[in-house]
Amino acid sequence: MNRVTKLLNITYPIIQGGMGNISNAMLAAAVSEAGGLGTIGCGTMSVEEVEEIILETKRLTSRPFALNIAINVSPFVDELINLGIQHSVPVFSLSAGNPAPYIPILHERNIKVITIVASVKHAEKAEAAGADILVAEGYEAAGINSSLELTTFTLIPQIVQKVKTPVVAAGGIGDGRGLAAALVLGAEGVQMGTRFIATKEAPFHENYKKKLMDASGTDAIIIGRSFGSVRRVMKTNYSTSLLDREKEGLSIEEFADFTSEAHHVIGAIQGDLDRGFINGGQVAGLIEDIPTVSELMESMIESAKAQVSACFQRLDFLTSNN
């Protein structure tokens, strides 16, 4: 048992990323039931909407799950903090903003706090504020990203070198090879979003899952770079049209409207890829099947073990030939 599994009271060091307004109880519960940490992303949803998902998740699993609040995205941060406390949610994931004011409040209730970071500076600040786990996210990841655009492969060792808090790797991870690589880089677990979309329990439109299955790594494109609002989405008619409009001088207000959670729902839930967008990370190029969540996670653990063993064998070969 490593520090991440011990702190979160889970079996496998695998965390589901927050998914904004397309978050749902079915997938969060499936991840938790399979031994990971399922997550409910609050996005811009109302307190009532989030409460409904929390209650349904608790009906589907008795295992730990997390509530992700994007601080600078949600208009209901204080209310959602209180809601999670009221329903005894054991883990909070805080992203897109300063978590420092909320960590003491949550720690007073023995709630674990995960914070999302994108640089050494962010990580050191989050550690000083008392975060229990740091999710270091490279810009390979789906959805809203840091404008710093550091890759996972370079970000993880930099942060691990500077902090004592357990680090979880996110961005570009979707199988046992990614898990093994994250561990070798010094992380103690992984967080995934895109890969969990392409699972049987994920209640998203088949058009979304098919787009991931058919994608190459270059089909996960960046929009919003000109506004300092980096978002990685899948290449669709909607996203390429939006990118063209951005190049032609789209205003930041128009961009915010076209990338609202309403358009996220239209793409991901309704499957209308001409009127809405779908988030997707570069790991989409590795997705070739749609397993159950349990099958995915178990295969990741077995594959990671095999990869680490193979690494030792290759290292022995190099050593023996010197």
Side-chain angles (χ1 to χ4, degrees), residues 70 73 96 116 137-139 141-147 229-233 259 261 279:
V73 173
I116 317 301
E137 184 174 77
Y139 96 119
I144 297 172
N145 269 298
S146 168
S147 59
S229 179
V230 175
R231 180 188 285 268
R232 192 175 291 284
V233 299
T259 56
E261 285 298 310
N279 289 330

Side-chain angles (χ1 to χ4, degrees), residues 100-123:
Y102 307 102
I103 293 175
I105 297 170
L106 297 170
H107 279 175
E108 286 176 5
R109 279 83 177 178
N110 294 317
I111 294 170
K112 302 302 181 186
V113 180
I114 298 170
T115 60
I116 317 301
V117 299
S119 71
V120 169
K121 182 179 178 180
H122 294 159

Side-chain angles (χ1 to χ4, degrees), residues 69-312:
I69 302 174
I71 295 167
N72 291 335
V73 173
S74 174
F76 311 110
V77 175
D78 290 341
E79 295 90 337
L80 291 169
I81 293 286
N82 290 331
L83 178 71
I85 291 171
Q86 175 189 337
H87 287 289
S88 301
V89 176
V91 183
F92 275 64
S93 168
L94 303 178
S95 58
N98 180 16
Y102 307 102
I103 293 175
I105 297 170
L106 297 170
H107 279 175
E108 286 176 5
R109 279 83 177 178
N110 294 317
I111 294 170
K112 302 302 181 186
V113 180
I114 298 170
T115 60
I116 317 301
V117 299
S119 71
V120 169
K121 182 179 178 180
H122 294 159
E124 289 176 332
K125 285 186 174 182
E127 180 175 64
D132 297 293
I133 293 171
L134 306 176
V135 170
E137 184 174 77
Y139 96 119
E140 299 96 322
I144 297 172
N145 269 298
S146 168
S147 59
L148 298 174
E149 299 193 12
L150 294 172
T151 66
T152 304
F153 198 85
T154 57
L155 181 64
I156 299 303
Q158 288 182 59
I159 289 179
V160 168
Q161 185 173 289
K162 295 293 185 179
V163 301
K164 296 180 180 178
T165 303
V167 174
V168 167
I173 299 164
D175 59 18
R177 292 170 294 183
L179 172 57
L183 297 176
V184 170
L185 290 172
E188 297 185 47
V190 297
Q191 177 172 289
M192 305 190 305
T194 303
R195 190 60 186 94
F196 279 130
I197 297 290
T199 57
K200 286 186 167 62
E201 293 93 335
F204 306 116
H205 200 280
E206 289 305 309
N207 289 347
Y208 192 173
K209 296 183 181 184
K210 186 175 187 304
K211 180 62 70 172
L212 294 177
M213 290 274 288
D214 294 343
S216 69
T218 58
D219 287 323
I221 63 173
I222 291 290
I223 57 175
R225 185 177 275 125
S226 62
F227 303 115
S229 179
V230 175
R231 180 188 285 268
R232 192 175 291 284
V233 299
M234 296 307 298
K235 186 186 294 182
T236 62
N237 289 339
Y238 187 86
S239 62
T240 54
S241 174
L242 181 54
L243 186 58
D244 288 340
R245 295 182 66 176
E246 182 183 342
K247 293 175 182 177
E248 293 167 0
L250 185 75
S251 73
I252 191 168
E253 291 80 14
E254 290 174 312
F255 178 78
D257 178 58
F258 287 125
T259 56
S260 69
E261 285 298 310
H263 287 287
H264 189 191
V265 170
I266 289 171
I269 305 298
Q270 299 176 20
D272 188 339
L273 304 186
D274 293 319
R275 295 177 50 247
F277 67 90
I278 49 175
N279 289 330
Q282 289 180 322
V283 74
L286 294 174
I287 296 174
E288 297 179 343
D289 60 354
I290 302 180
T292 66
V293 169
S294 179
E295 288 169 344
L296 171 63
M297 290 174 58
E298 288 175 8
S299 70
M300 283 183 65
I301 297 299
E302 291 307 310
S303 173
K305 290 177 181 177
Q307 292 296 326
V308 171
S309 177
C311 284
F312 277 117

